[in-house]
Amino acid sequence: QVQLEESGGRSVQAGGSLRLSCTISGPPYSRDCLAWFRQRTAQEREGVAGIDSKGTTPYADSVVDRFTISQDDDRQTLYLEMKNVKPEDSGRYYCAADPGFCSPWKLRSSSYFRYWGQGTQVTVSS
């Protein structure tokens, strides 16, 4: 069983920066692809970025050159560095894990991920 817990969400002004963290436990073979999704109000969860054991890091087009996903060496902590944030980056950010490798298509739907955290709220004010 994989467990994930996010932290780091807060209110920030547009143009600012923040870093989200996700602590992860469970067998490595069950969590090869780690990812960040976000949900803005009633919308579906949107894939933001992913990272797998091979170093593949797909990103959503809307966050390229602003967000960076990374992990520590033992893959038990996942990070999302967010820079130059915009009001449209507001939402609840979720950490997700799945046994398979990451790819851009995998970020297109939350249904491809088996394990989820409870989320952390990010609010960007203009």
XYZ file of all heavy atoms in Angstrom, residues 32-83:
419
model
N 6.336 3.772 -9.279
C 7.422 4.210 -10.160
C 7.161 5.608 -10.711
O 8.056 6.434 -10.748
C 7.609 3.223 -11.306
C 8.959 3.386 -11.945
O 9.178 4.431 -12.589
O 9.806 2.495 -11.781
N 5.954 5.871 -11.143
C 5.616 7.209 -11.635
C 4.999 8.005 -10.497
O 3.967 7.623 -9.931
C 4.656 7.130 -12.817
S 4.207 8.747 -13.471
N 5.637 9.119 -10.161
C 5.120 10.042 -9.161
C 4.714 11.324 -9.872
O 5.416 11.761 -10.799
C 6.185 10.342 -8.112
C 6.782 9.134 -7.391
C 7.939 9.560 -6.496
C 5.705 8.416 -6.585
N 3.625 11.919 -9.472
C 3.138 13.076 -10.211
C 2.420 14.058 -9.301
O 1.999 13.716 -8.194
C 2.204 12.626 -11.334
N 2.296 15.262 -9.811
C 1.480 16.298 -9.184
C 0.297 16.593 -10.105
O 0.467 16.793 -11.307
C 2.274 17.583 -8.972
C 3.296 17.494 -7.885
C 4.636 17.256 -8.029
C 3.055 17.643 -6.483
N 5.245 17.239 -6.806
C 4.303 17.487 -5.828
C 1.939 17.900 -5.697
C 4.447 17.575 -4.446
C 2.085 17.986 -4.325
C 3.323 17.829 -3.707
N -0.881 16.627 -9.501
C -2.094 17.059 -10.179
C -2.651 18.250 -9.403
O -2.316 18.476 -8.247
C -3.139 15.931 -10.175
C -2.955 14.925 -11.264
C -1.901 14.022 -11.227
C -3.832 14.859 -12.338
C -1.728 13.089 -12.227
C -3.665 13.925 -13.342
C -2.607 13.039 -13.293
N -3.510 19.001 -10.047
C -4.197 20.071 -9.339
C -5.659 20.094 -9.745
O -6.021 19.688 -10.841
C -3.551 21.427 -9.614
C -3.638 21.910 -11.051
C -2.821 23.180 -11.231
N -2.845 23.655 -12.607
C -2.037 24.604 -13.083
N -1.143 25.173 -12.282
N -2.117 24.980 -14.340
N -6.471 20.573 -8.833
C -7.897 20.667 -9.090
C -8.367 22.054 -8.707
O -8.185 22.498 -7.569
C -8.656 19.613 -8.285
C -10.137 19.554 -8.596
C -10.792 18.332 -7.999
O -10.241 17.672 -7.118
N -11.976 18.018 -8.479
N -8.994 22.719 -9.663
C -9.484 24.077 -9.438
C -10.991 24.019 -9.364
O -11.659 23.742 -10.359
C -8.999 24.994 -10.562
C -7.493 25.183 -10.536
C -6.993 25.982 -11.724
N -6.896 25.162 -12.920
C -6.269 25.549 -14.027
N -5.710 26.734 -14.070
N -6.222 24.756 -15.069
N -11.511 24.255 -8.222
C -12.945 24.192 -7.893
C -13.547 22.893 -8.409
O -13.071 21.815 -8.120
C -13.684 25.427 -8.436
O -13.564 25.485 -9.848
C -13.102 26.683 -7.818
N -14.568 22.985 -9.233
C -15.296 21.793 -9.642
C -14.705 21.124 -10.881
O -15.256 20.138 -11.375
C -16.755 22.149 -9.910
N -13.606 21.643 -11.370
C -13.006 21.076 -12.568
C -12.351 19.731 -12.273
O -12.080 19.388 -11.122
C -11.974 22.047 -13.130
C -12.550 23.381 -13.582
C -11.476 24.310 -14.115
O -10.345 23.913 -14.335
N -11.838 25.559 -14.327
N -12.059 18.992 -13.313
C -11.345 17.726 -13.151
C -9.904 17.982 -12.724
O -9.372 19.058 -12.956
C -11.349 16.962 -14.475
C -12.701 16.432 -14.874
C -12.612 15.561 -16.117
O -11.500 15.275 -16.562
O -13.671 15.168 -16.625
N -9.312 16.979 -12.130
C -7.912 17.103 -11.769
C -7.054 17.161 -13.024
O -7.246 16.364 -13.948
C -7.492 15.936 -10.875
C -8.151 15.981 -9.516
C -7.657 14.885 -8.599
N -8.428 14.889 -7.362
C -8.230 14.072 -6.343
N -7.260 13.168 -6.401
N -8.984 14.167 -5.269
N -6.125 18.098 -13.007
C -5.271 18.339 -14.164
C -3.845 17.918 -13.831
O -3.299 18.335 -12.796
C -5.318 19.842 -14.504
C -4.309 20.310 -15.516
C -4.194 21.817 -15.550
O -4.570 22.476 -14.569
O -3.701 22.340 -16.568
N -3.249 17.120 -14.699
C -1.872 16.723 -14.497
C -0.925 17.897 -14.662
O -1.033 18.632 -15.645
N 0.002 18.064 -13.728
C 0.926 19.193 -13.758
C 2.319 18.728 -14.175
O 2.931 19.287 -15.069
C 0.977 19.882 -12.380
C 2.038 20.977 -12.366
C -0.386 20.446 -12.019
N 2.828 17.704 -13.514
C 4.171 17.201 -13.805
C 4.321 15.803 -13.228
O 3.649 15.436 -12.265
C 5.236 18.125 -13.224
N 5.224 15.032 -13.826
C 5.490 13.683 -13.356
C 6.976 13.388 -13.393
O 7.750 14.082 -14.070
N 7.386 12.341 -12.659
C 8.779 11.912 -12.660
C 8.818 10.430 -12.334
O 8.084 9.956 -11.465
C 9.623 12.742 -11.664
C 11.102 12.418 -11.792
C 9.133 12.549 -10.234
C 11.998 13.419 -11.061
N 9.669 9.675 -13.062
C 9.764 8.249 -12.777
C 11.215 7.855 -12.491
O 12.116 8.699 -12.457
C 9.155 7.419 -13.910
C 9.862 7.602 -15.255
O 11.038 8.010 -15.265
O 9.215 7.337 -16.281
N 11.425 6.568 -12.263
C 12.752 6.091 -11.870
C 13.783 6.241 -12.984
O 14.984 6.219 -12.727
C 12.669 4.631 -11.437
O 12.215 3.830 -12.499
N 13.339 6.381 -14.230
C 14.270 6.588 -15.340
C 14.634 8.055 -15.517
O 15.491 8.382 -16.329
C 13.653 6.061 -16.639
C 13.372 4.575 -16.659
C 13.034 4.102 -18.069
C 11.794 4.777 -18.594
N 11.414 4.291 -19.943
N 13.947 8.931 -14.782
C 14.222 10.356 -14.910
C 13.329 11.068 -15.905
O 13.533 12.246 -16.195
N 12.359 10.366 -16.457
C 11.406 11.004 -17.361
C 10.566 12.019 -16.598
O 10.025 11.704 -15.539
C 10.484 9.947 -17.995
O 11.281 8.958 -18.648
C 9.549 10.588 -19.003
N 10.454 13.237 -17.137
C 9.709 14.296 -16.434
C 8.777 15.019 -17.396
O 9.121 16.087 -17.918
C 10.687 15.303 -15.797
O 11.605 15.755 -16.801
C 11.461 14.702 -14.647
N 7.605 14.468 -17.626
C 6.632 15.202 -18.437
C 6.023 16.362 -17.655
O 5.861 16.287 -16.430
C 5.580 14.139 -18.755
C 5.669 13.167 -17.627
C 7.112 13.151 -17.202
N 5.686 17.443 -18.365
C 5.069 18.621 -17.773
C 3.847 19.030 -18.587
O 3.808 18.852 -19.811
C 6.030 19.809 -17.754
C 7.156 19.707 -16.751
C 8.375 19.155 -17.102
C 6.989 20.183 -15.450
C 9.411 19.067 -16.181
C 8.022 20.107 -14.520
C 9.228 19.549 -14.901
O 10.249 19.476 -13.987
N 2.885 19.621 -17.921
C 1.783 20.264 -18.627
C 2.330 21.512 -19.319
O 3.207 22.192 -18.783
C 0.676 20.636 -17.657
N 1.818 21.818 -20.489
C 2.295 22.985 -21.250
C 2.184 24.273 -20.443
O 3.035 25.168 -20.554
C 1.502 23.129 -22.549
C 1.811 22.026 -23.544
O 2.842 21.343 -23.383
O 1.020 21.859 -24.498
N 1.172 24.363 -19.604
C 0.912 25.608 -18.864
C 1.946 25.904 -17.784
O 2.004 27.030 -17.283
C -0.482 25.548 -18.238
O -0.560 24.454 -17.334
N 2.774 24.914 -17.431
C 3.732 25.138 -16.344
C 5.183 25.006 -16.791
O 6.100 25.194 -15.982
C 3.463 24.178 -15.164
C 2.018 24.286 -14.699
C 3.825 22.742 -15.511
N 5.407 24.685 -18.061
C 6.783 24.542 -18.557
C 7.556 25.832 -18.324
O 7.046 26.927 -18.542
C 6.752 24.181 -20.054
C 8.141 24.299 -20.675
C 6.221 22.769 -20.243
N 8.788 25.695 -17.886
C 9.704 26.812 -17.585
C 9.329 27.580 -16.330
O 10.000 28.560 -15.984
C 9.799 27.798 -18.760
C 10.418 27.174 -19.994
O 11.256 26.261 -19.843
O 10.060 27.597 -21.104
N 8.272 27.144 -15.619
C 7.916 27.795 -14.352
C 7.947 26.806 -13.186
O 8.323 27.174 -12.075
C 6.529 28.426 -14.436
C 6.411 29.520 -15.484
C 5.084 30.272 -15.358
N 3.922 29.399 -15.510
C 3.011 29.217 -14.566
N 3.104 29.828 -13.401
N 1.972 28.411 -14.792
N 7.535 25.579 -13.429
C 7.491 24.557 -12.378
C 8.574 23.522 -12.626
O 8.883 23.188 -13.775
C 6.137 23.851 -12.356
C 4.976 24.704 -11.911
C 5.094 26.073 -11.726
C 3.741 24.107 -11.672
C 4.021 26.831 -11.327
C 2.648 24.848 -11.263
C 2.792 26.223 -11.100
N 9.111 22.979 -11.534
C 10.097 21.916 -11.631
C 9.750 20.809 -10.645
O 9.582 21.078 -9.451
C 11.510 22.434 -11.319
O 11.826 23.505 -12.212
C 12.538 21.322 -11.496
N 9.644 19.592 -11.140
C 9.395 18.442 -10.277
C 10.722 17.768 -9.980
O 11.602 17.688 -10.849
C 8.400 17.461 -10.937
C 7.959 16.388 -9.937
C 8.976 16.853 -12.209
C 6.802 15.527 -10.449
N 10.870 17.310 -8.757
C 12.093 16.613 -8.376
C 11.783 15.639 -7.244
O 10.695 15.664 -6.670
C 13.183 17.599 -7.952
O 12.782 18.318 -6.800
N 12.747 14.797 -6.941
C 12.574 13.799 -5.884
C 13.894 13.604 -5.174
O 14.956 13.876 -5.733
C 12.096 12.478 -6.482
C 13.054 11.920 -7.533
C 12.440 10.786 -8.332
O 11.354 10.302 -8.035
N 13.150 10.354 -9.363
N 13.852 13.132 -3.955
C 15.113 12.838 -3.290
C 15.605 11.464 -3.733
O 14.918 10.748 -4.453
C 14.969 12.946 -1.774
C 13.962 11.963 -1.210
O 13.357 11.196 -1.997
O 13.775 11.971 0.007
N 16.824 11.128 -3.338
C 17.481 9.941 -3.884
C 16.720 8.643 -3.591
O 16.738 7.719 -4.397
C 18.911 9.830 -3.338
C 19.819 10.906 -3.903
O 19.446 11.511 -4.938
O 20.893 11.156 -3.321
N 16.065 8.567 -2.446
C 15.363 7.325 -2.130
C 13.899 7.342 -2.592
O 13.143 6.424 -2.308
C 15.452 7.009 -0.639
C 14.811 8.091 0.227
O 14.161 9.002 -0.342
O 14.975 8.046 1.458
N 13.533 8.411 -3.315
C 12.192 8.536 -3.899
C 11.102 8.452 -2.831
O 10.007 7.959 -3.086
C 11.949 7.484 -4.978
C 13.018 7.445 -6.057
C 12.525 6.718 -7.295
N 11.648 7.574 -8.072
C 10.522 7.166 -8.649
N 10.122 5.921 -8.515
N 9.785 8.009 -9.356
N 11.416 8.986 -1.654
C 10.407 9.011 -0.601
C 9.893 10.414 -0.330
O 9.015 10.607 0.510
C 10.969 8.392 0.681
C 11.175 6.886 0.542
C 11.606 6.239 1.844
O 12.521 6.703 2.508
N 10.927 5.171 2.198
N 10.449 11.378 -1.040
C 9.924 12.733 -0.972
C 9.895 13.308 -2.381
O 10.887 13.252 -3.102
C 10.773 13.647 -0.078
O 10.934 13.047 1.205
C 10.086 14.999 0.095
N 8.787 13.839 -2.743
C 8.560 14.448 -4.052
C 8.372 15.946 -3.840
O 7.743 16.357 -2.870
C 7.318 13.843 -4.697
C 6.947 14.336 -6.088
C 7.961 13.821 -7.113
C 5.543 13.871 -6.453
N 8.916 16.725 -4.763
C 8.820 18.182 -4.658
C 8.216 18.768 -5.934
O 8.344 18.201 -7.022
C 10.201 18.801 -4.451
C 10.941 18.289 -3.239
C 11.938 17.326 -3.373
C 10.636 18.768 -1.964
C 12.614 16.847 -2.261
C 11.308 18.295 -0.849
C 12.301 17.339 -1.005
O 12.972 16.877 0.096
N 7.615 19.924 -5.771
C 7.193 20.722 -6.919
C 7.598 22.159 -6.623
O 7.034 22.803 -5.744
C 5.687 20.637 -7.172
C 5.226 21.377 -8.421
C 5.747 20.668 -9.679
C 3.700 21.471 -8.479
N 8.627 22.615 -7.342
C 9.083 23.998 -7.206
C 8.260 24.846 -8.170
O 8.260 24.595 -9.378
C 10.569 24.082 -7.553
C 11.226 25.386 -7.178
C 11.550 25.476 -5.699
O 11.911 24.442 -5.097
O 11.432 26.576 -5.140
N 7.585 25.847 -7.633
C 6.703 26.676 -8.441
C 7.236 28.104 -8.438
O 7.382 28.704 -7.380
C 5.277 26.638 -7.854
C 4.722 25.237 -7.729
S 3.232 25.145 -6.709
C 2.087 26.112 -7.666
N 7.515 28.629 -9.616
C 8.039 29.988 -9.733
C 7.136 30.801 -10.648
O 6.440 30.263 -11.506
C 9.459 29.958 -10.291
C 10.466 29.273 -9.384
C 11.866 29.327 -9.961
C 12.861 28.652 -9.013
N 14.241 28.676 -9.551
